[in-house]
Amino acid sequence: MKFKVFDSYDEISAYSAELLAEVVKSKEDAVLGLATGSSPVGMYKELIKLNKDGKLDFSKTKSINLDEYIGLEGTHDQSYRYFMNTNLFDHINIDKKNTFIPDGTVEDLLDGAKKYDELIESLGGIDVQVLGIGPNGHIGFNEPADELKMNTHVAELTEETIKANARFFASEKDVPTEAVTMGVGPIMKAKKIILIASGANKAWAIKSLVDDVITTKIPATLLKLHPDVTVVLDKEAAGML
Ligand code: F6R
């Protein structure tokens, strides 16, 4: 696992965009595993810039997102579909038909989850997976637990995650309590992983990545078993290293 520590969020974003751009350039139909949340927003802005400047072409690129809240339509301004459209897809030359996000509104969520795994399989897996990290060490919405799931599933969000995400909603009670998330299987099978973390509230979770323990109680610790992970972070997130 490589750690790259920067002074500012802008530098984190530029560096992460460079890593992702390398993959897009090296394979025209690359499959990008994407995340929402505040961590990758700056990187998405950089990618938009590269695309607008004609330096990066997404016309054949495919993307598959980690997760989606249950019960929110794609038009809801806090849904992850809306987030991806407004923060990236609407501004680059990707074909929206090639962008995939779990659907948290289907009646049969189990069937939806199974189909999402089949979709990942049919895309041939993920070339590069972008991850944020929860203050509790979650990746995607794979929350700390006695067991982790390989496959896409319905996850109940922990109180800590609901609190952390309340900043995006009118109030804490508006935060959905469940989400559909990719399991740890496809994440760990991604060829390359870029994990972005900024701020002191991530310091504890980041420290767990260097400690000599792998535990489902801190899901991100599984990443220690992956051969190609780059953790891109600021000094605050690196504060306990
Ligand atoms: C988002 C996701 C989450 C976030 C994590 C960090 O798709 O799967 O695991 O990456 O909660 O969120 P931010 O970046 O908002 O601190």
Side-chain angles (χ1 to χ4, degrees):
M1 197 176 276
K2 280 183 258 166
F3 288 83
K4 289 274 184 188
V5 184
F6 292 97
D7 286 331
S8 70
Y9 179 69
D10 285 351
E11 287 169 274
I12 291 181
S13 303
Y15 184 72
S16 311
E18 236 174 75
L19 292 183
L20 202 106
E22 265 171 35
V23 178
V24 175
K25 282 180 191 158
S26 68
K27 188 177 173 192
E28 65 169 8
D29 58 348
V31 178
L32 312 180
L34 299 179
T36 58
S38 17
S39 306
V41 169
M43 179 189 74
Y44 293 149
K45 286 205 177 100
E46 290 292 326
L47 293 173
I48 292 168
K49 232 189 278 166
L50 289 172
N51 185 241
K52 292 233 183 297
D53 292 348
K55 293 181 182 153
L56 198 58
D57 176 25
F58 292 97
S59 57
K60 301 258 166 41
T61 308
K62 293 172 184 160
S63 74
I64 181 119
N65 262 73
L66 284 167
D67 40 23
E68 177 62 282
Y69 288 121
I70 288 181
L72 299 193
E73 295 285 345
T75 48
H76 188 289
D77 66 0
Q78 288 311 326
S79 75
Y80 285 170
R81 165 52 77 182
Y82 186 90
F83 176 101
M84 288 311 302
N85 285 350
T86 52
N87 282 288
L88 184 65
F89 302 150
D90 286 345
H91 312 288
I92 60 174
N93 70 331
I94 198 165
D95 183 345
K96 283 235 183 90
K97 286 202 289 299
N98 288 332
T99 68
F100 304 100
I101 299 180
D103 186 345
T105 64
V106 291
E107 210 166 293
D108 190 342
L109 288 163
L110 290 185
D111 181 59
K114 192 167 155 266
K115 291 202 170 111
Y116 205 64
D117 286 324
E118 287 164 4
L119 171 69
I120 300 168
E121 200 70 31
S122 74
L123 293 173
I126 296 166
D127 290 299
V128 56
Q129 177 66 54
V130 176
L131 294 174
I133 186 168
N136 62 3
H138 74 207
I139 46 174
F141 277 130
N142 295 283
E143 296 279 29
D146 291 337
E147 297 173 343
L148 294 176
K149 298 213 167 91
M150 281 283 289
N151 293 326
T152 303
H153 58 279
V154 172
E156 219 170 281
L157 307 190
T158 60
E159 230 178 279
E160 197 177 358
T161 297
I162 292 172
K163 277 200 168 62
N165 289 3
R167 67 192 194 280
F168 300 116
F169 290 82
S171 79
E172 199 176 306
K173 68 174 176 17
D174 295 315
V175 185
T177 55
E178 289 182 319
V180 183
T181 184
M182 211 185 262
V184 291
I187 297 175
M188 290 299 288
K189 283 188 220 150
K191 294 197 184 92
K192 190 182 187 65
I193 295 179
I194 304 168
L195 188 150
I196 303 171
S198 73
N201 68 330
K202 303 292 172 72
W204 178 84
I206 292 297
K207 181 176 174 289
S208 73
L209 295 179
V210 295
D211 286 348
D212 183 39
V213 167
I214 294 171
T215 169
T216 59
K217 301 277 168 59
I218 313 173
T221 59
L222 250 77
L223 299 174
K224 291 182 220 196
L225 298 171
H226 191 284
D228 188 354
V229 180
T230 307
V231 182
V232 189
L233 68 174
D234 62 12
K235 284 187 176 144
E236 287 72 28
M240 287 168 79
L241 297 184

